[in-house]
Each structure stands twice: as structure tokens, then as C-alpha cells.
Amino acid sequence: MQAFAEAGEEISGLIVNFLQLCTLPLWGINKQLARKVNCRLAYCICSQMVALLEWWSGTECTLYTDPESYPFYGKENAIVILNHNFEIDFLCGWTFCERFGVLGSSKVLAKKELAYVPVIGWMWYFLEIVFCKRKWEEDHKTVVQSLQRLKDYPENFWFLLYCEGTRFTQKKHKISMEVAEKKGLPKLKYHLLPRTKGFCVTVQHLRGTVTAVYDSTLNFRNNQIPTLTGVLNGKKYNADLYVRRIPLDSIPENESECALWLHKLYQEKDELQEKYSLTGCFPGPTLTPPRRPWALLNWLFWIWLLLFPLCLILLQLFHSGSAFTVFTTVVLCFAASLGVRWMISQTEINKGSSYGNKEGQLNNNA
Ligand SMILES: CCCCC/C=C\C/C=C\CCCCCCCC(=O)SCCNC(=O)CCNC(=O)[C@H](O)C(C)(C)COP(=O)(O)OP(=O)(O)OC[C@H]1O[C@@H](n2cnc3c(N)ncnc32)[C@H](O)[C@@H]1OP(=O)(O)O
Ligand SMILES: CCCCCCCCCCCCCCCCCC(=O)OC[C@@H](O)COP(=O)(O)O
């Protein structure tokens, strides 16, 4: 039955991918309309995952931020900087995007491998997500081109940058601190050394389009180690997100100064994490936006549209008594379920890339 439910979820995503494909002719006629339509279609996919987190697993997401910054959230374009320690950090990010109304349009500087993940990766193609191979010589041109395209984007968007470039592991941390030492930079305890090229080029090319950087730090209470499988199994987590709004004007234009600025920011982020580990909370007031019903309604809509007819088909198949048809259906459902499991495995840190490992330096993304 679980395989059948997972197949249903995947089918809904593939239907949306197909609808996105159907918008291709519109791009030539009215590009801004095509972008808006694709934001709505992407919302249909992302919000199903948000619904799983918010409504199915009941995960609580608390926002720590100052009241003066709060009115800007969702009303401006922003670059979001986030620590990269947890398998579901992107999903917690999506939850806040949903609550501030920018879920369909949210963007990220993502590794190229994710472009090939069915449903999510294909959806990103139509959202004009910026992809990189994490090899700067090859990335520079394409990243700049992709950023330039966002200058006239018709919806407010948040552009997520995991400046650490890869998920935190003890081994990657040790290696990146050796790099820090060689560069004469202070050691970080909770973060990998940030890669500055992507940030500097994003600030440079989105200046005038984006008005602020949201320095964000995510943690889970009581040392929870959240996983996507846990969320799908209905496990409740407690996420704390600290967001500090920094006007883009205050970030240096010069590339080396901009890189130094980012290193200093990560030193401050590290101090904040130290405080969290000592006190179990972030400083300052909490101002958590409530969860909205739209993600849940969209999820229920797809369940109604797909699971009910799929169950009927399944029942009819078993009644038909044709061993071949029953066998084929079961095999197809398990194949779809395996597909979903492979997608989930993309979020697992222990199956992560070798980027940032010493051995991986020669063969970056193997
Ligand atoms: C409020 C919160 C909600 C927000 C949510 C908003 C939106 C949500 C939207 C979508 C969610 C989807 C989530 C999907 C997640 C997918 C994310 C990823 O795929 S992360 C991986 C890809 N992204 C990045 O890597 C971004 C950061 N990286 C960079 O910016 C890089 O600079 C680069 C552009 C990728 C290029 O990388 P490359 O390695 O080729 O070059 P660099 O110049 O950066 O690196 C060389 C440089 O680094 C030094 N070095 C060597 N080894 C290390 C090491 N181990 N650690 C640190 N530094 C190292 C080396 O000496 C060089 O130094 P120098 O520059 O001085 O020469
Ligand atoms: C319509 C809904 C379909 C529901 C299908 C069921 C759930 C399937 C979930 C698949 C989600 C796939 C999203 C992939 C996002 C992974 C983000 C991520 O964390 O990438 C890691 C990179 O940052 C760094 O990689 P590493 O160098 O650490 O390695």
C-alpha cells in the first residue's frame, strides 16, 4: 500500500512536469506569463512536500528574527545564506518560503546532478534554477548567464546559497579547516569554510534586483537528526531558524572585500551556533508565521485526484483475476516506489558527494 501511495505522489509530480512541458510554446509568446504559470505549477510540487512536513509529520518550525525586518519577508527579492548540516534543511527552507508566499518562485544555486532528479530536478529547469558543476572554471560563464536572466523575474524570489557547497561531515570539516589554516583564516567549529566565488558573483550580478541578504541559521532541538524518511514516516521534529536581514548595499562591491565579508559572516554564524549549543535556543524574539492551509489543500486535491481512482483500478485488477495484469501492476508500483526511494536517497548525507574531501579534489563530484 505504501508503494502504491508513493507511486501516486510521484505520478502527481510527473503530471505537473508534463504540464510544465506544455508551457514551452508560451515562453516564445509571453515569457513573463510563462514564468508566472511555472511558479504556480512548481508550487503544486513543492507544497506537497511542505504539507508532508507541516501537516503529516507535524514538524514545528520556529522563526527567530527582529520585528523591523519581518515586514520585508516575502515582499522583496533576497539572497538567503543557510548552513548545510541537515538532510531536510531545504524542506524547512521551503516551509518558510510557503509561509511568506515565495515557494513557487524560490531559487537556489544547486549542484548540476540535481537537475536530473525526476520531478524536482525537471521542475527546476522551468524555474530557471542556477546549476553549477562546482568547478569554477566551467561554472563561471553559465552561472553568470543564469543570474543575468533573473534580473527581470516577475515574482518576488529568495535565492538560496549554501556557501559551504556541500553537507557538513566530520571529514569535510577537518579538511576545510586545514584550508582555513593555510589561508590564515580563523577556524570554524560548526561550519565548513565557505566557498566565496558563488556568493560574490551572485551579489555582483543581482545587485539592483535583490535588496537584502538573509543570513539564516537552522538548528533542531534536542540534537534531533532529521531525515526525509522520518518525515515520510510521520516523525515530528522541532526546527529553529534564525534570520538576520542585511541590506545588500552594506556588502562590499570589490570581490576580495566581498569574500572577506563572507568569511567574517561565517565566523559570526559560528558564534551564534555556539550560543545555540549552550542555551538550546537562539537569542532574540520569535515571530513565527503560522502555517497556511494552501499546502494542505493542494496535497488533499492530489490525493483525491489520484489515490482514489488508483485504488479503484487496483481493486478492479484484483477482481479481474488476470494474473498477468495483477503482476504487471504490482511490478509498476514497485518500480515507481524504487524511483521515489532513489530520490529520497539524494537527500541522505551518507550518500553525499566527495566534494570537499581531499580524495575528491581530483575527481570533484564523483
Ligand atoms: C529563510 C530560509 C529559506 C530559504 C529557502 C529558499 C529557497 C529554497 C529553494 C530551493 C531549495 C532547494 C534546495 C536544493 C539544495 C541543493 C543545494 C546544493 O546543490 S549545494 C551545492 C551547490 N552549491 C554550491 O556549491 C554553492 C556554494 N559554492 C560556491 O559558491 C562555489 O564557489 C562554486 C560557485 C560552486 C564554485 O566552486 P569551486 O569549488 O569550483 O570553486 P571555489 O573557488 O569556490 O573553490 C576553490 C577555493 O576553495 C578553496 N578550497 C579548497 N578546498 C576547500 C575546502 N575543502 N573547503 C573550503 N575551501 C576549499 C580553494 O583553496 C580555493 O580557494 P581560492 O578561492 O582562494 O582560490
Ligand atoms: C510531488 C511530490 C513527489 C514526492 C516524492 C516523494 C519524495 C521525494 C523527495 C525527493 C526530494 C529530492 C530533493 C533533492 C534536494 C536535495 C538537496 C540536497 O540536500 O542536496 C545536497 C547538496 O546540497 C549538496 O550535496 P553533497 O555535496 O552534500 O552531496
Side-chain angles (χ1 to χ4, degrees), residues 35 50 73 118 137 153 176 293 355:
R35 285 169 147 178
V50 169
Y73 300 154
E137 322 74 59
Y153 208 73
S176 85
Y355 181 77

Side-chain angles (χ1 to χ4, degrees), residues 18 71 125 191-192 292 334:
F18 174 72
Y125 175 78
H191 297 86
L192 304 178
R292 307 188 306 166
F334 273 98

Side-chain angles (χ1 to χ4, degrees), residues 10-30:
E10 199 175 351
I11 291 168
S12 71
L14 292 173
I15 291 175
V16 175
N17 283 162
F18 174 72
L19 293 174
Q20 290 187 301
L21 206 59
C22 295
T23 67
L24 275 180
L26 189 58
W27 285 83
I29 303 163
N30 188 338

Side-chain angles (χ1 to χ4, degrees), residues 9 12 48-49 84 111 134 166-167 228 340 343 352-353:
E9 287 240 18
S12 71
Q48 283 193 64
M49 296 199 50
H84 208 6
K111 59 176 181 179
R134 295 186 286 188
T166 188
R167 265 93 46 103
L228 192 54
V340 173
M343 285 158 74
S353 72

